[in-house]
Amino acid sequence: MLNIAIDGPAGAGKSTVAKLLAKQLNIIYLDTGAMYRAIALKAIEQGVDVSDTDALSVLLEDTDIDISYVDEQQHVLLDGRDVTDIIRTPEVSDGASKVAVIPAVRLKLVELQRRIARMHDVVMDGRDIGTFVLPNADVKFYLTASIEERARRRLEEMRARGYEHSLDDVRDDIRARDKNDSEREFAPLRKADDAILIDSTDKTVDEVVEEMLSFIRTASTKGKA
């Protein structure tokens, strides 16, 4: 199996790059963040505090998360319901960052992520893929960008979905998510020692993808991928 891990902070462009990379390699892209969004959505819909560890642990006992692929597009199923589109709201995004710090949530989803990676060639992106989920991934990347650039990209993405926010608000939200992700006690955001650092601040998406492909080809010729 070929497993590629892409980690990095919010707004670095991980999902966009990972999808294109998977398409170029003709393998599956697994959006791990969507799984945490699904848990957050269920908590919100049921009136459960997304920071309440005990309540979320109970919620998880009766929660089924699954991934399906339709026309090469990933769909997230929450208790059998397709929630692919409705997990992209700002409220769910904020909730996902909070539920992700809870060990019980991470362990449940990591089990599913590892199972998929054992069965398929995958490109997987998130916060702790190379350090915790797939520590033996064939190639690992840590994708980042300046906070100003990440905020600008995230604002464009939100506006495209019909959500209007100020750049300052988006920047503050990203700072908060960075702090939350990097300071969480369980599987925090950090660059794996053997991950390749790529700063996308002044690069196009295509340039980043081509840079990653170059590293993957090199690893393949050396028998590492």
Side-chain angles (χ1 to χ4, degrees):
M1 288 296 121
L2 173 61
N3 290 171
I4 298 170
I6 303 178
D7 290 310
K14 298 185 301 298
S15 295
T16 300
V17 167
K19 289 174 186 175
L20 291 173
L21 188 63
K23 187 173 183 179
Q24 287 282 346
L25 295 168
N26 195 31
I27 62 178
I28 286 174
Y29 160 64
L30 182 63
D31 178 2
T32 61
M35 299 177 179
Y36 292 98
R37 288 170 180 268
I39 297 292
L41 174 65
K42 182 166 182 175
I44 291 168
E45 289 182 339
Q46 296 197 4
V48 173
D49 186 340
V50 292
S51 298
D52 188 329
T53 300
D54 292 336
L56 281 170
S57 295
V58 172
L59 184 78
L60 286 173
E61 293 176 1
D62 190 34
T63 298
D64 180 59
I65 303 290
D66 202 1
I67 299 294
S68 69
Y69 293 89
V70 180
D71 296 329
E72 299 183 353
Q73 297 296 315
Q74 175 179 295
H75 286 250
V76 183
L77 304 178
L78 172 63
D79 298 327
R81 175 171 59 122
D82 191 328
V83 295
T84 305
D85 294 327
I86 61 176
I87 58 174
R88 298 295 170 180
T89 67
E91 182 183 14
V92 172
S93 295
D94 182 62
S97 184
K98 292 174 181 175
V99 302
V101 306
I102 297 173
V105 174
R106 299 200 73 81
L107 289 172
K108 180 182 179 70
L109 296 184
V110 165
E111 180 183 351
L112 172 60
Q113 292 157 12
R114 287 174 175 166
R115 187 169 75 240
I116 292 172
R118 285 194 300 268
M119 297 170 60
H120 304 279
D121 294 333
V122 297
V123 176
M124 199 179 297
D125 74 300
R127 303 291 193 276
D128 62 348
I129 308 303
T131 56
F132 181 68
V133 181
L134 300 177
N136 296 317
D138 299 285
V139 185
K140 302 177 186 178
F141 296 102
Y142 188 88
L143 183 64
T144 189
S146 69
I147 193 165
E148 291 297 329
E149 178 63 14
R150 289 190 284 136
R152 184 191 66 78
R153 292 173 184 171
R154 181 54 56 86
L155 183 61
E156 285 186 356
E157 180 183 288
M158 293 171 72
R159 284 176 172 169
R161 291 196 174 107
Y163 301 108
E164 191 59 51
H165 292 268
S166 72
L167 182 61
D168 287 342
D169 286 344
V170 175
R171 188 189 300 112
D172 289 345
D173 177 64
I174 286 180
R175 281 201 182 99
R177 292 187 67 182
D178 285 351
K179 186 174 188 297
N180 198 39
D181 292 337
S182 61
E183 294 182 0
R184 69 191 184 205
E185 187 173 343
F186 186 74
L189 165 69
R190 68 175 180 83
K191 176 183 172 295
D193 293 338
D194 54 347
I196 299 160
L197 176 65
I198 297 180
D199 189 328
S200 67
T201 302
D202 297 314
K203 297 175 181 175
T204 66
V205 171
D206 288 341
E207 286 173 337
V208 172
V209 171
E210 187 52 45
E211 186 174 354
M212 288 184 173
L213 284 170
S214 177
F215 280 114
I216 293 168
R217 293 186 193 108
T218 299
S220 295
T221 61
K222 293 180 179 179
K224 295 181 179 180

